[in-house]
Amino acid sequence: MSVFIKLVENRPPKEYAQARTADISYDDAVEGNSEISYQYDVLPSGALRILRVTRGQEAVIHSVYAPGLWFRVEGLCRGTTE
């Protein structure tokens, strides 16, 4: 399963007004003989971590999003770390 993140709207000052919403998607893939999937977890601080999981190996941190930057995530949750 892929992970999909909805980021908070970025609203620059009115004189630069071009409000936008950013969406980020991490899609599962097959590279060579390796199956790669993405999972996420949420730290107690509210930071969102995206984990890259290669079959047969430990998960590695791929990206981290600050608590105020994202407001919704969908996909396979690895659990909340404490």
Side-chain angles (χ1 to χ4, degrees):
M1 169 171 271
S2 302
V3 172
F4 174 81
I5 304 168
K6 184 71 115 173
L7 298 179
V8 177
E9 274 190 20
N10 179 12
R11 294 184 184 267
K14 288 183 182 178
E15 57 269 23
Y16 303 107
Q18 282 269 341
R20 68 179 183 88
T21 301
D23 299 332
I24 299 174
S25 184
Y26 294 90
D27 298 318
D28 298 344
V30 176
E31 292 180 7
N33 293 332
S34 299
E35 291 180 29
I36 297 168
S37 62
Y38 291 92
Q39 300 174 3
Y40 72 90
D41 64 7
V42 180
L43 300 175
S45 67
L48 171 69
R49 294 192 310 180
I50 304 301
L51 306 166
R52 180 181 166 125
V53 183
T54 303
R55 189 175 186 167
Q57 297 181 13
E58 292 289 320
V60 296
I61 299 170
H62 183 73
S63 302
V64 178
Y65 295 90
L69 186 60
W70 66 280
F71 73 91
R72 189 177 83 211
V73 62
E74 298 171 8
L76 183 60
C77 179
R78 193 169 181 92
T80 303
T81 60
E82 297 181 21

